[in-house]
Amino acid sequence: MSRGRADGSPKKRLIASICVVAIFLGFLYVFGGSIFGSQNGGSSTLDYGKSLKRLGSSYLGSDDDTDSKQDESSSNLGKGDVEDDIIPKSFPVCDDRHSELIPCLDRHLIYQMRMKLDLSVMEHYERHCPPAERRYNCLIPPPPGYKIPIKWPQSRDEVWKANIPHTHLAHEKSDQNWMVVKGEKINFPGGGTHFHYGADKYIASIANMLNFSNNNLNNEGRLRTVLDVGCGVASFGAYLLSSDIIAMSLAPNDVHQNQIQFALERGIPAYLGVLGTKRLPYPSRSFELAHCSRCRIDWLQRDGILLLELDRLLRPGGYFAYSSPEAYAQDEEDLRIWREMSDLVGRMCWRIAAKRNQTVIWQKPLTNDCYMEREPGTHPPLCQSDSDPDAVWGVNMEACITPYSDHDNRVKGSGLAPWPARLTSPPPRLADFGYSSDMFEKDTELWKRRVEKYWNLLSPKIKSNTLRNIMDMKAHMGSFGAALRDKNVWVMNVVPKDGLNTLKLVYDRGLIGTTHDWCEAFSTYPRTYDLLHAWTVFSDLEKKDCSQEDLLIEIDRILRPSGYIIIRDKQPVIDFVKKYLTALHWEAVATADSSSDSDQDSDEVVFIVQKKLWLTSESFRDTE
């Protein structure tokens, strides 16, 4: 029943105006959402401000009829041109709240899917990847005010606060000199929980405890690779670099969730991981030293399974440096833990190499002799002979001691040359793959030529300090990373989990890396690498039941704005990637064939692209 007259009274005109405004706002909501995103007006790009269509799996969990188009697009990779009408002109942009999304380490996913995980053994900090229908197939926006990161080596000591707008660690660890907020920057004085006066002095004290010459922990090149467990903001690893030591700084995405993000922003090698139920993604006998400074790990749990995981990873004669109250405190509980740890490592055949002040350093035996001399039935037992100590992807830890191979037992060590000679010396474990020294040397030379060509192609765009964090997505023997020895960079060498498990060769060369499945997201924060090298990674993915478009989105997630991708693959793959350049806000830099490489892969094409710095409206407002 209508009220009033039909002569356009002020009241009715007001109601009509309100209705018109409501319809207009509804129109903006429905049709503008694809342009402006869904939160805070912060998802529109100022560059390439085109309508954003959805691609692949449903966006933010809603159903979408483009799934079938994605399947059709994926199946056509490498089979000629794909019809333009099934290639989206753009990707959606994630909400601003997803600017730090790590898809396989997302606690929100765990809660939403009601996963039944054992919190007491840290299962909730291990990898749990979303099913296809829950993936965020959108581009990760930078945070408000994002700036191109400070260059190395200055970045070791300071980063832009806007790039990692989290200062709670600075307040929480203010008494330990971890980090200090100063204006627009966060400074890192080099302190830590057990080295308030600087990591450099702490490192020198460890070297002094071990009687290494000149208090240099590298021990004349014999100590090169280090695992820093519970690394904080990785100042320990940062200060090792000047001694020609490279550390894999490891911490979970826990209550101090931005530790690894700070480490990578600083330009320090780091990886998101936890000692939980699964083996760490590194092969046996990878590290000369493991380190834990007040890492708050219960080493006695589950029959010492976490210490046994470190034992698997340490080389013959490797060290475990442990700085924690159990090593020096005199209260009843700390003394109890110390006694039980001492008993456990004794049964593992570790001996105390040095003990001073707050630190104890244990050393692993050089041979199997001690294991053979233990009383029958002693725990922990030796691992079964059919247990592969290098199988790591999704493999449960075992509460057993990994004995040495016949070769390592015979030579009483790993037989590795000192650094840097080991970088180009054929690793002893080459024989595990049937590779000869000649094959190794040819591979090293081949990648040296290829990297020189890459740098020539990049030279118009980069300076000597442009690149710092580099990832080789398919490292094989690590020769790409080895060829970068004279550049001021470090390389995360990734060995795909379903190929030859050559990661142990990478570590034997004095480099670091990890195992990964490129059907899943990598364990790192967004915007953490300056350059990605993808050698036939897309071609390999075509053979598997996963999406090449998802890989494009993942590459974009982990690449820093203004960073580069070197794609070395078949021509159809290059054509496929080119179709998505505008959608991803990437720009072609150079293209070249590989005929000048003088190798068997002359049909491969080198395609280099750069990720543009694009900003949401909110980011732009807060950026100088």
Side-chain angles (χ1 to χ4, degrees), residues 439-455:
M439 292 169 63
F440 172 82
E441 289 164 0
K442 286 182 177 178
D443 187 74
T444 300
E445 274 303 309
L446 171 63
W447 281 103
K448 183 178 179 181
R449 292 196 304 272
R450 288 177 171 180
V451 168
E452 286 175 356
K453 184 172 181 178
Y454 292 161
W455 246 248

Side-chain angles (χ1 to χ4, degrees), residues 595-612:
S595 57
S596 61
D597 290 339
S598 301
D599 66 83
Q600 69 274 18
D601 298 319
S602 58
D603 60 338
E604 293 175 354
V605 178
V606 176
F607 184 46
I608 302 178
V609 298
Q610 183 178 23
K611 176 180 176 178
K612 286 181 170 290

Side-chain angles (χ1 to χ4, degrees), residues 292-333:
C292 158
S293 173
R294 195 68 179 272
C295 54
R296 298 182 182 276
I297 292 174
D298 178 8
W299 297 106
L300 296 172
Q301 63 177 281
R302 293 174 284 161
D303 300 317
I305 195 169
L306 304 186
L307 272 177
L308 290 160
E309 174 65 358
L310 289 190
D311 184 84
R312 181 184 71 85
L313 295 173
L314 284 174
R315 299 195 194 279
Y319 300 97
F320 177 41
Y322 185 58
S323 297
S324 192
E326 297 84 32
Y328 64 89
Q330 295 300 307
D331 62 276
E332 185 175 336
E333 179 61 13

Side-chain angles (χ1 to χ4, degrees), residues 352-455:
I352 291 180
K355 188 173 186 292
R356 184 189 301 168
N357 300 329
Q358 300 180 353
T359 302
V360 60
I361 304 174
W362 284 290
Q363 186 175 23
K364 185 180 175 181
L366 282 169
T367 68
N368 292 328
D369 293 351
C370 175
Y371 306 143
M372 301 298 104
E373 294 168 359
R374 298 186 310 164
E375 292 291 328
T378 300
H379 283 267
L382 296 182
C383 298
Q384 297 295 318
S385 58
D386 59 351
S387 175
D388 182 359
D390 301 322
V392 296
W393 190 253
V395 176
N396 289 328
M397 292 181 189
E398 295 184 66
C400 58
I401 298 171
T402 305
Y404 299 130
S405 66
D406 291 341
H407 170 271
D408 285 3
N409 188 58
R410 185 173 62 254
V411 301
K412 298 184 178 181
S414 299
L416 297 175
W419 177 265
R422 72 172 63 173
L423 183 67
T424 52
S425 299
R429 291 193 274 188
L430 272 177
D432 293 358
F433 304 93
Y435 293 161
S436 65
S437 296
D438 184 59
M439 292 169 63
F440 172 82
E441 289 164 0
K442 286 182 177 178
D443 187 74
T444 300
E445 274 303 309
L446 171 63
W447 281 103
K448 183 178 179 181
R449 292 196 304 272
R450 288 177 171 180
V451 168
E452 286 175 356
K453 184 172 181 178
Y454 292 161
W455 246 248

